[in-house]
Amino acid sequence: MSYSLKMESFNTLLQSTEAERYESRPFPVGGHKWSLIVYPNGNKQDNGTGFISLYVAIDNSTLIAKHLEVIADLRFYVFKKNERKYFTIQDTHEWRYNIFKTMWGFSQVLPLATFKDPSNGYLYDGDQCEFGVDVTINSPFQSSELFSVSRNFDNPKFTWKIQGFSKLLGDKYFSDTFSVGGRNWNIQVNPSGRRKGAGKALSMYLILNANEKLKPYEKIYVRAKLRVVDQPIFPFLGGTNIEKQLDHWFTDPGEGWGYDEFISRDDLTSFWTSYLLNDVLIVEAEMEAISSTKYFP
């Protein structure tokens, strides 16, 4: 704790008509000086009659000099010797110290009758007792970040028509760059597959454009769908798109995430399917959620 106050002959203060309160010497916390204040018979001006009242006061000289407001958390302790424990009391909100309000605390910490009853252990070895307080200064964050996820984009879907698909002999091809969620993206296809899909499947990936700039440790969460579009000869019959979900954290420009085996070559080129029409393959990326992170400073 920040400060401990042990008191002997506490009953003498209880019986005094002049000693309304006891104030400790100042103790330092967070560049300020504080004092623990005990009202043995309660602070009558704060509805504390019949209770032990505990407060912490700040030396207001630094507040006046710097026109400060100091925000602090206070936790008060009362030692209970028979259990070797502390009774503690703390509010759920912070305390704001300024030149107009230099003392905060609790007017009704413990009923005086409860405190004086020897069986409760607050007064021990005759009439000794101990109070304490933790003062924690809440200063503004030196740095912070704000993470958010955007959805419901104006133009979430990008469509890429790949002409002359059967004549593509290269290992991989990239779509034009498209922008969604404040970032630039590409679709990558490997017509003959790669890794697990090599020679037997079309591979397809979503790429964070290589020219994107990420701050150190920044990562982008993306939820999206990749799709091979069915092109039935008779549109009224409907089609069966091949669609797969993406859920990934992108950490490097140029990084891709997707599927080595998006659709088998047999299914893609089968007479009974219509994914290739007039040697045109249509693929899509539909962005559902993209995160962004702001850093301060």
Side-chain angles (χ1 to χ4, degrees), residues 7-16 22 38-41 52 112 115-116 123 126-129 131:
M7 307 184 74
E8 297 178 344
S9 302
F10 189 74
N11 280 318
T12 302
L13 291 179
L14 287 174
Q15 296 165 6
S16 173
Y22 180 88
V38 180
Y39 286 79
N41 287 294
I52 296 289
L112 195 54
F115 183 83
K116 292 171 63 176
L123 276 177
D127 61 353
Q128 298 182 37
C129 59
F131 305 100

Side-chain angles (χ1 to χ4, degrees), residues 9-274:
S9 302
F10 189 74
N11 280 318
T12 302
L13 291 179
L14 287 174
Q15 296 165 6
S16 173
T17 58
E18 299 295 330
E20 180 187 20
R21 73 182 199 175
Y22 180 88
E23 183 171 344
S24 76
R25 66 175 178 173
F27 57 91
V29 175
H32 301 277
K33 290 184 178 180
W34 311 80
S35 297
L36 175 59
I37 299 173
V38 180
Y39 286 79
N41 287 294
N43 183 358
K44 299 176 179 60
Q45 296 179 356
D46 194 17
N47 196 32
T49 301
F51 291 84
I52 296 289
S53 303
L54 295 176
Y55 299 86
V56 168
I58 189 172
D59 179 353
N60 68 356
S61 61
T62 55
L63 301 179
I64 295 172
K66 299 181 180 179
H67 304 286
L68 289 177
E69 181 176 64
V70 178
I71 301 173
D73 279 326
L74 306 177
R75 177 181 291 182
F76 294 92
Y77 301 84
V78 184
F79 185 54
K80 194 172 186 179
K81 187 176 182 181
N82 60 351
E83 297 181 5
R84 306 298 300 175
K85 294 179 180 180
Y86 287 96
F87 168 80
T88 63
I89 183 170
Q90 181 180 21
D91 212 326
T92 56
H93 63 76
E94 301 164 326
W95 308 87
R96 293 181 176 272
Y97 287 84
N98 52 55
I99 59 174
F100 304 106
K101 184 68 175 178
T102 59
M103 187 175 79
W104 287 103
F106 295 94
S107 62
Q108 299 181 2
V109 175
L110 281 169
L112 195 54
T114 301
F115 183 83
K116 292 171 63 176
D117 186 342
S119 66
N120 291 324
Y122 296 112
L123 276 177
Y124 54 89
D125 296 342
D127 61 353
Q128 298 182 37
C129 59
E130 181 183 351
F131 305 100
V133 67
D134 261 334
V135 179
T136 304
I137 306 299
N138 294 332
S139 58
F141 295 115
Q142 298 300 311
S143 58
S144 62
E145 60 187 78
L146 172 62
F147 173 82
S148 58
V149 178
S150 297
R151 302 178 179 85
N152 303 318
F153 306 106
D154 290 336
N155 297 291
K157 185 166 64 176
F158 174 77
T159 301
W160 181 20
K161 292 185 178 183
I162 305 174
Q163 307 283 343
F165 181 80
S166 65
K167 300 180 179 63
L168 299 180
L169 302 178
D171 175 54
K172 58 185 175 183
Y173 295 85
F174 296 91
S175 72
D176 291 339
T177 300
F178 61 98
S179 298
V180 181
R183 296 291 185 177
N184 292 320
W185 310 90
N186 302 91
I187 299 173
Q188 174 187 325
V189 296
N190 297 72
S192 298
R194 65 191 292 259
R195 294 188 296 221
K196 292 189 299 182
K200 60 181 181 179
L202 171 79
S203 302
M204 183 158 59
Y205 312 90
L206 178 67
I207 308 292
L208 177 63
N209 187 267
N211 294 320
E212 279 293 319
K213 305 295 183 184
L214 271 65
K215 300 179 182 67
Y217 307 106
E218 185 178 8
K219 50 189 177 290
I220 303 171
Y221 170 73
V222 173
R223 189 172 69 239
K225 288 186 175 70
L226 290 177
R227 185 179 298 123
V228 170
V229 179
D230 196 2
Q231 307 174 71
I233 297 175
F234 303 108
F236 62 87
L237 295 176
T240 306
N241 297 333
I242 302 297
E243 183 176 278
K244 297 190 178 183
Q245 187 76 45
L246 289 183
D247 198 286
H248 183 64
W249 290 93
F250 287 83
T251 57
D252 295 299
E255 174 190 358
W257 192 257
Y259 295 88
D260 297 339
E261 300 176 277
F262 195 90
I263 180 174
S264 71
R265 294 281 304 184
D266 288 344
D267 288 341
L268 187 64
T269 59
S270 170
F271 173 81
W272 303 106
T273 63
S274 50

